[in-house]
Amino acid sequence: VQLQASGGGSVQTGDSLRLSCAASGNIVSTAVMGWFRQAPGKEREFVAAINLSGSTYKADSVKGRFTISRDNAKNTGYLQMNSLTPEDTAVYYCAAYSSPSQRTVPTRDYRLYRHWGQGTLVTVSS
C-alpha cells in the first residue's frame, strides 16, 4: 500500500486548506485512515482519523476547525482545515492500517498505523 499526500502550502491565519491522501491497493488495507502532523522541534501529533463507515475521531485541538472525510470509491482521504493558525504549521502525514471490519474504532496510536505517506508541508503565517 502506498499513500500519497498532497495539498499543503503557505497560507495566512484564518485561511483554509484541503489535504488529500490517495491510497493504492486494497481498501481493506486502509480501513482506518488518519492524519498526523509534526511541527519543527516537536513530537508527532495525532490530528484525526476515520474508518470505512465514516466514523471519525479528532484531536481536541482541531475540533470545530478540521474535518476528516474519505471517498471509499477512490480510496482517498481528505482533511479540510479551516481557521488555520500559526500553531497548525507542520508537516502533515497521512497514514493507514488495515482491519477486517468497517467499524473499527479509529485510534490515535501511531504505532497501529502500518502505512505512511511522505508528508505535505503546511505553513501558516500571522
Side-chain angles (χ1 to χ4, degrees), residues 1-7 18-35 49-52 54 67-80 94-96:
V1 175
Q2 291 186 332
L3 303 177
Q4 181 71 40
S6 61
R18 187 195 196 202
L19 306 183
S20 298
C21 178
S24 63
N26 192 308
I27 196 169
V28 174
S29 298
T30 57
V32 175
M33 297 184 79
W35 291 92
I50 185 170
N51 67 13
L52 281 170
T67 301
I68 186 171
S69 62
R70 66 187 297 167
D71 184 334
N72 292 337
K74 296 180 179 179
N75 204 2
T76 298
Y78 305 96
L79 185 68
Q80 177 66 43
C94 64

Side-chain angles (χ1 to χ4, degrees), residues 27-87:
I27 196 169
V28 174
S29 298
T30 57
V32 175
M33 297 184 79
W35 291 92
F36 292 79
R37 66 187 180 184
Q38 187 165 19
K42 294 187 177 181
E43 294 185 352
R44 177 170 36 192
E45 175 188 23
F46 169 78
V47 177
I50 185 170
N51 67 13
L52 281 170
S53 295
S55 295
T56 63
Y57 176 37
K58 289 186 284 189
D60 288 343
S61 59
V62 304
K63 285 181 180 177
R65 301 189 300 124
F66 291 11
T67 301
I68 186 171
S69 62
R70 66 187 297 167
D71 184 334
N72 292 337
K74 296 180 179 179
N75 204 2
T76 298
Y78 305 96
L79 185 68
Q80 177 66 43
M81 305 184 295
N82 298 330
S83 302
L84 287 163
T85 73
E87 289 68 37

